[in-house]
Amino acid sequence: MEGRDRSHPQNHRDRTARFREIDLNRSPFTVAWEITRACAFACLHCRAEAQPKRDPKELDTEEAMGVIDQIREVGNPILVVTGGDPLMRPDVYDLLAYAVSTGLRTSLTPTATALANRRNLARIKEAGVSRVAISLDGANAELHDRFRGFAGSFTRTMRIAKEAREVGLSLQINTTVSRHNVDTIGAIAEIVANTNAVQWSVFFLVPTGRAKLEDMISLDEHERLFNWLFDLSQTAPFDVKTTAAPAYRRVAIQRANGREGTRKPVTGAGFQFQDGLDRPTIGINDGKGFAFISHIGDVCPSGFLPLSAGNVSEQHFAEIYSSSPLFTDLRDPDLLKGKCGACKYNVVCGGSRARAYAVHGNYLESDPSCAYRPTTGLRAQGSGCGQGRC
């Protein structure tokens, strides 16, 4: 895979200056909004445990428009409209167009069903959406379709990728890594390159919803894959991003510095995306620069950390994000336990709070997927390692 031209020093300086001005205590950088839980698929890893029909308690169109206003009032976060399958809401195009009209950089994550056809992709483009993201979890139909629980999903995914680019949409591919596909990640990367996607977002499984603890990859596999992704990021024709894997930032910093230890301040994420969405070089994490809004208006630190800090129908989104005890706890690295608490990278990484909660029942515990051992002593409250995974 040939590398892309990444020589934009002035753009990099301008973006870095803007990122320094972001106050993550007051405004998130990204908001994911689950506008519905309805979905025709039954994916093995679905954090939402999506259902065939829409929930009657879903926010209606007027309420949903109000949510968009609340999000815009906190600043200019990236808005990811997701589900379930967001195309199962008849008003989805109106919601997208309204979000774009307010100035929000808006993306959409449709499910690979018949609803994501060329006509509807063109409607998404006409609404002003910045990007569509579709999922690819296997390098062949057998693996992908089994993962997604729907025969024909792989073929549809490849068709959607082609038609999205043909109608002028920016394309992102999402892949969830689990024990089912970890040995085929290289082949998936080749397919991503052939789709002309601008970004490959690699999700690391969090055992919540339908996802099972035994489907997580091992500590060593996490570490090997982080290093492999870093190598890939240097040459791939697309940007590489990880989700639910903040430890990748630690690996990127270590690799960029060329050695394990460094006296330089650890203040950045170690890499810069060129995908046009001005993503941050600072450490975004659950509740720290990221927020999730459910189909009924509950505000959570992420979709993988299903703890509600409040509801937008009862309290303003800005107040929930900035002031709720759950969110303020998650933004305080001094509260982290075990090796995450002792780690010098905890400001830029901080570990997956969702995975810590899913495995340990405590969102401040150590991320059980991280193989790194801090050189400083662990705190008195314990290592935070459990299940034989640390």
Side-chain angles (χ1 to χ4, degrees), residues 67-77 99 101-104 317:
V67 170
I68 293 170
D69 290 335
Q70 289 192 37
I71 294 171
R72 187 64 180 91
E73 287 173 17
V74 303
N76 186 29
S101 75
T102 69
L104 289 171
F317 174 69

Side-chain angles (χ1 to χ4, degrees), residues 58-133:
E58 269 181 17
L59 300 175
D60 63 27
T61 301
E62 183 178 357
E63 291 170 325
M65 296 289 191
V67 170
I68 293 170
D69 290 335
Q70 289 192 37
I71 294 171
R72 187 64 180 91
E73 287 173 17
V74 303
N76 186 29
I78 295 171
L79 175 61
V80 180
V81 178
T82 185
D85 180 5
L87 294 185
M88 290 188 73
R89 274 192 71 136
D91 62 354
V92 61
Y93 307 102
D94 294 331
L95 296 180
L96 293 171
Y98 183 67
V100 172
S101 75
T102 69
L104 289 171
R105 296 162 292 168
T106 306
S107 65
L108 181 75
T109 60
T111 303
T113 70
L115 290 174
N117 53 45
R118 182 187 292 272
R119 174 178 175 274
N120 287 339
L121 290 169
R123 293 180 70 185
I124 293 166
K125 171 66 175 176
E126 290 167 5
V129 168
S130 301
R131 175 176 303 176
V132 292

Side-chain angles (χ1 to χ4, degrees), residues 257 259-266 344:
N257 287 333
R259 64 184 192 278
E260 165 55 37
T262 176
R263 293 180 178 274
K264 296 179 181 178
V266 181
K344 68 180 180 179

Side-chain angles (χ1 to χ4, degrees), residues 296-325:
I296 60 173
D298 286 334
V299 180
C300 305
S302 86
F304 301 111
L305 181 49
L307 296 176
S308 176
N311 189 287
V312 291
S313 298
E314 303 167 354
Q315 190 178 8
H316 199 285
F317 174 69
E319 183 180 354
I320 297 170
Y321 177 83
S322 64
S323 304
S324 69

Side-chain angles (χ1 to χ4, degrees), residues 202-385:
V202 184
F203 289 64
F204 285 73
L205 187 137
V206 176
T208 189
R210 293 195 190 108
K212 306 300 182 186
L213 179 62
E214 57 266 27
D215 289 336
M216 281 175 53
I217 61 176
S218 70
L219 287 176
D220 289 343
E221 285 171 325
H222 274 91
E223 200 72 3
R224 284 197 300 269
L225 191 50
F226 289 158
N227 280 277
W228 181 82
L229 288 170
F230 181 84
D231 290 334
L232 178 67
S233 73
Q234 307 306 298
T235 60
F238 48 79
D239 281 323
V240 176
K241 176 182 177 292
T242 60
T243 299
Y248 175 68
R249 302 170 194 149
R250 181 258 306 165
V251 170
I253 292 169
Q254 291 172 330
R255 294 291 301 277
N257 287 333
R259 64 184 192 278
E260 165 55 37
T262 176
R263 293 180 178 274
K264 296 179 181 178
V266 181
T267 57
F271 47 86
Q272 171 66 53
F273 296 117
Q274 303 292 338
D275 64 0
L277 289 181
D278 286 354
R279 295 180 186 271
T281 54
I282 52 182
I284 299 300
N285 208 338
D286 301 333
K288 177 190 173 187
F290 189 93
F292 173 88
I293 302 175
S294 81
H295 65 297
I296 60 173
D298 286 334
V299 180
C300 305
S302 86
F304 301 111
L305 181 49
L307 296 176
S308 176
N311 189 287
V312 291
S313 298
E314 303 167 354
Q315 190 178 8
H316 199 285
F317 174 69
E319 183 180 354
I320 297 170
Y321 177 83
S322 64
S323 304
S324 69
L326 174 58
F327 276 78
T328 55
D329 279 358
L330 290 168
R331 291 194 292 268
D332 186 352
D334 290 337
L335 296 180
L336 296 176
K337 298 176 180 295
K339 65 179 184 179
C340 282
C343 184
K344 68 180 180 179
Y345 296 101
N346 66 14
V347 173
V348 69
C349 169
S352 169
R353 300 298 94 219
R355 191 175 292 106
Y357 179 75
V359 174
H360 300 302
N362 185 339
Y363 54 78
L364 295 174
E365 269 292 0
S366 290
D367 182 347
S369 70
C370 181
Y372 181 69
R373 298 291 299 180
T375 55
T376 56
L378 295 177
R379 293 180 178 177
Q381 61 262 47
S383 68
C385 299

